[in-house]
Amino acid sequence: MAVPRTRAERLANLIAFFLPLALLAGAWSSQLFGGLYPCEMCHWQRWPHYAALLPAFAAFFVGQRSIRGSLVILAALLIAVSGVIGVAHAGVEYGWWQGFTACTSTVDFTGGSAADRLNAILKAPVIRCDVAQWTLGGISLAGFNAIFSLGGAAAILVLMRKAR
C-alpha cells in the first residue's frame, strides 16, 4: 500500500534529484561554454552526482515508503561523497595538503600520425589539480561543490528524519 508523501519527503526527494543535476549542469557548462577543463579530481567529484541521480529519480516512482526513503537517503549519501571529494580537492588547491593524483590534460589521441599525436601532446594544456582555474570570493569550484553538496546532503537527511 502506497503511503502518501509528507511535505518533508517531497522536498528531500526534490533536493536529492535537482541538486546533483544542477551541479553537474554547472560543471558541464563551465567546461563546454566557459573553457574550464576539469582536472582528474574534478571528474572524481562528478561520479557520485551521476550515481545520486538514479536513486533520487527512482524514488519519485516508488510507492513503498521505506524503499522510497532508502533511495533518497542513498542519494544524499552519494551527494555527501562528492562533497567530501570537493573538500579534498579544495584542500589541494589551497595547499593545505598534498594532491592524490597526477595532472590531467585535454589531449585527443584519436587519428593522425604519430607526429600529429606528439604535436597534440606538446600543445595541450595541462590541467593541474592543485591550481584553481576559477574562484569567487576566494572559493574555488571544488570549494563550492563541497559547500553545496555537504549542505544539500545534510538538508536532505534532516528532512528525511523530520518526515519519520
Side-chain angles (χ1 to χ4, degrees):
M1 174 184 223
V3 177
R5 294 176 195 261
T6 66
R7 184 171 183 252
E9 284 175 310
R10 281 192 305 273
L11 184 55
N13 198 170
L14 287 169
I15 294 169
F17 182 72
F18 286 107
L19 178 64
L21 188 66
L23 290 173
L24 286 168
W28 276 102
S29 294
S30 68
Q31 179 180 340
L32 297 175
F33 305 114
L36 299 178
Y37 295 101
C39 71
E40 188 171 350
M41 292 181 79
C42 294
H43 283 293
W44 293 355
Q45 292 171 77
R46 293 180 188 188
W47 289 109
H49 285 308
Y50 291 129
L53 289 172
L54 298 173
F57 184 72
F60 287 121
F61 303 101
V62 172
Q64 189 174 351
R65 186 176 191 191
S66 63
I67 295 173
R68 189 172 61 223
S70 296
L71 289 170
V72 172
I73 290 169
L74 174 60
L77 294 175
L78 289 165
I79 293 166
V81 167
S82 179
V84 169
I85 297 169
V87 168
H89 188 186
V92 170
E93 290 174 335
Y94 297 129
W96 296 340
W97 45 73
Q98 187 69 31
F100 308 102
T101 181
C103 296
T104 59
S105 180
T106 59
V107 177
D108 182 11
F109 289 107
T110 59
S113 67
D116 291 338
R117 289 191 295 264
L118 178 59
N119 193 32
I121 291 170
L122 294 174
K123 288 183 178 179
V126 175
I127 309 304
R128 295 176 49 168
C129 293
D130 62 347
V131 176
Q133 293 186 59
W134 182 89
T135 62
L136 178 64
I139 302 173
S140 68
L141 289 173
F144 278 112
N145 179 60
I147 292 166
F148 288 123
S149 294
L150 292 173
I156 294 164
L157 294 174
V158 166
L159 287 166
M160 290 305 292
R161 182 171 173 95
K162 181 181 175 183
R164 295 188 186 254

